[in-house]
Amino acid sequence: MKEVVIAGYLRTAQSRSRPNDPARDWFGKMRGDELLARLLPELTRRTGIDPKEIDDFLVGCATAVGEQWAYGGRFPLFLANFPETIPAKSVDQQCGSAMAGIHIGFMEIAQDFADIVMVGGYEHMTRIPMGGYNTDRGLIAPNMTLFLDPSYRHWDMMTTVNMGLTAEKLFSQRKFMREEMDRWGVSSHERAAKAQADGFFAGEILAIEAEQADGTVMKVERDQAVRTDATLENMAELKPSFKKDGVITPGNSSPLNAAASSMVLMSKDTARKKGVKPLATIRSIGFAGVDPTIMGVGPVPATRKALEKIGLKPSDMDYWEINEAFSVVALNCIEELGIDPERVNVMGGGIAIGHALGATGIRLVGTLARILNEKKGRYGCANACVGGGQGVATVIEREEYDW
């Protein structure tokens, strides 16, 4: 198979979504596909490719309803004024959607069905809240009574569709303490705040001028949810979000966000011919299904599959990006795979940076590639749990190009 490299990566900042108070969302007046369309021309420019050379475009979105419906992935291309000759596909694997797009593009190029593939992802959790219901925009909420159908009864769908309850169930089956989860949340903010201050994320964020609720225009160039005042003491004061006697709180969970992300994949031969300096080479991919009521265990089997495919072990990974949908997901992955926590989410994770569902997979892989380059690591693994009981993983290697 052909070797596949990450030729470029770019994202927007992640705003803090507030469905009940949209004025506080920095991207409150912009749609998710608009955010993605801003990235595409800039990424092709930075990568040095002509849009006409793109063989396929794959776009991930977890809640592709209402204005987030991408018409098979074509709307973002039209908004970016890209050639109509570029085919497109919409990808929905919930929180793994953008990473699934990377996986599909990787396989297309590796098997010589494409040479250059662009992947994108977006989610706007203010304008299209989880569940998809917003009377102002005419969206339709899922019919929850459907899950009372006997066909679904075995799966306890009322837990399955509530990610917070799946995290509570995972916690109940492990030996972690709430303080451990809160401590991980504090660390996520501390690391992300330091990375922001050091300018690390400036290398992957495209500043976007966005109109605010009061009519002013703001340049959005940093992740809105990162806090500089997170402490274990104020984390401990937060009340449970999903059940009265629970442990999952806003402090040990990812927030709601709006963002877009994009990536260019190409064969290594093409990168060499074009003089493109890749961020990394994709070495393996993994995906797995698990009990949907404890979807947070999904990254473990997905990662094992990806590593076993190329004969590597968790200990061979220099750095990890484990999506912090919830602290307990990252902690469980660390324990099950025997990972050094100091190698995980070293620039902060989803609890601080954010988790704009359909954009997250690219953010994880792209940030990991940049970390490997900055810290001169060789191998890295990005993984995520997925709503509905799944896991996704991608293994990459820092590229030492000789051109």
Side-chain angles (χ1 to χ4, degrees):
M1 296 195 302
K2 286 190 173 184
E3 289 189 289
V4 182
V5 300
I6 298 170
Y9 156 58
L10 191 65
R11 69 178 177 94
T12 69
Q14 300 205 58
S15 67
R16 177 71 166 88
S17 287
R18 301 178 187 275
N20 297 321
D21 192 5
R24 297 175 65 189
D25 182 341
W26 291 344
F27 287 142
K29 288 195 171 185
M30 295 185 69
R31 300 192 313 270
D33 59 346
E34 290 181 295
L35 292 173
L36 179 56
R38 297 284 186 92
L39 297 176
L40 304 185
E42 179 63 19
L43 183 58
T44 55
R45 185 190 70 79
R46 293 188 186 188
T47 311
I49 63 171
D50 187 322
K52 294 178 182 178
E53 299 177 283
I54 298 171
D55 296 306
D56 204 3
F57 176 67
L58 305 156
V59 58
C61 182
T63 311
V65 300
E67 67 185 36
Q68 290 197 155
W69 178 60
Y71 199 28
R74 294 282 275 177
F75 280 158
L77 290 176
F78 297 159
L79 286 172
N81 199 30
F82 271 22
E84 63 188 26
T85 52
I86 303 173
K89 301 176 182 69
S90 291
V91 182
D92 170 12
Q93 197 179 9
Q94 294 299 282
C95 308
S97 297
M99 195 179 295
I102 293 173
H103 291 179
I104 295 169
F106 164 73
M107 290 186 284
E108 288 180 345
I109 297 170
Q111 298 181 54
D112 204 21
F113 288 102
D115 197 43
I116 299 175
V117 174
M118 177 168 268
V119 186
Y122 63 85
E123 205 80 35
H124 203 310
M125 301 176 75
T126 290
R127 298 175 68 92
I128 308 292
M130 293 183 73
Y133 184 72
N134 188 312
T135 53
D136 292 338
R137 299 186 180 92
L139 306 182
I140 300 173
N143 182 0
M144 301 301 283
T145 60
L146 175 67
F147 301 138
L148 301 178
D149 186 295
S151 301
Y152 290 111
R153 193 165 294 155
H154 172 72
W155 301 109
D156 181 15
M157 293 303 289
M158 302 310 285
T159 296
T160 292
V161 299
N162 186 316
M163 298 299 102
L165 292 180
T166 69
E168 289 282 3
K169 184 172 179 179
L170 175 58
F171 176 85
S172 72
Q173 295 181 354
R174 299 299 189 265
K175 297 180 179 179
F176 303 119
M177 303 294 290
R178 172 173 163 176
E179 183 178 326
E180 292 177 86
M181 297 194 298
D182 289 349
R183 194 178 298 279
W184 188 266
V186 171
S187 175
S188 184
H189 282 284
E190 289 176 343
R191 291 177 175 186
K194 184 178 187 306
Q196 272 189 348
D198 293 344
F200 174 80
F201 291 120
E204 63 188 58
I205 292 176
L206 176 68
I208 301 288
E209 291 193 348
E211 184 182 356
Q212 301 302 291
D214 62 2
T216 61
V217 175
M218 176 182 181
K219 181 182 284 189
V220 181
E221 54 190 351
R222 66 177 177 86
D223 299 312
Q224 187 177 0
V226 178
R227 302 182 67 95
T228 57
D229 59 350
T231 67
L232 193 58
E233 291 73 24
N234 57 38
M235 289 282 190
E237 294 175 359
L238 295 174
K239 295 180 179 180
S241 299
F242 302 98
K243 53 189 295 190
K244 188 175 181 180
D245 58 345
V247 294
I248 305 301
T249 74
N252 54 44
S253 309
S254 59
L256 305 180
N257 303 92
S261 58
S262 58
M263 183 172 283
V264 171
L265 309 177
M266 66 176 63
S267 68
K268 183 179 284 188
D269 289 342
T270 297
R272 182 180 289 108
K273 290 174 185 175
K274 287 181 166 294
V276 173
K277 299 177 180 179
L279 286 169
T281 299
I282 299 176
R283 290 303 180 197
S284 188
I285 61 176
F287 32 90
V290 297
D291 180 346
T293 63
I294 46 172
M295 64 92 199
V297 302
V300 176
T303 298
R304 285 178 173 149
K305 284 185 177 182
L307 293 175
E308 288 169 4
K309 200 71 176 176
I310 52 174
L312 294 178
K313 305 182 297 296
S315 57
D316 293 318
M317 300 297 103
D318 294 296
Y319 292 98
W320 296 76
E321 280 292 311
I322 301 175
N323 189 41
E324 295 169 358
F326 304 95
S327 286
V328 68
V329 173
L331 293 174
N332 181 70
C333 199
I334 288 168
E335 182 172 281
E336 291 289 317
L337 296 176
I339 302 169
D340 177 359
E342 294 303 312
R343 299 278 181 171
V344 177
N345 302 352
V346 296
M347 299 297 178
I351 290 173
I353 298 168
H355 176 25
L357 311 180
T360 288
I362 291 173
R363 207 285 297 170
L364 295 169
V365 176
T367 298
L368 177 64
R370 296 187 63 244
I371 289 170
L372 289 178
N373 280 276
E374 173 154 310
K375 297 186 175 293
K376 307 304 179 188
R378 182 178 180 183
Y379 289 115
C381 180
N383 65 32
C385 56
V386 176
Q390 301 187 71
V392 290
T394 304
V395 178
I396 62 175
E397 181 179 10
R398 181 168 63 90
E399 182 62 47
E400 294 187 355
Y401 44 84
D402 55 1
W403 61 87

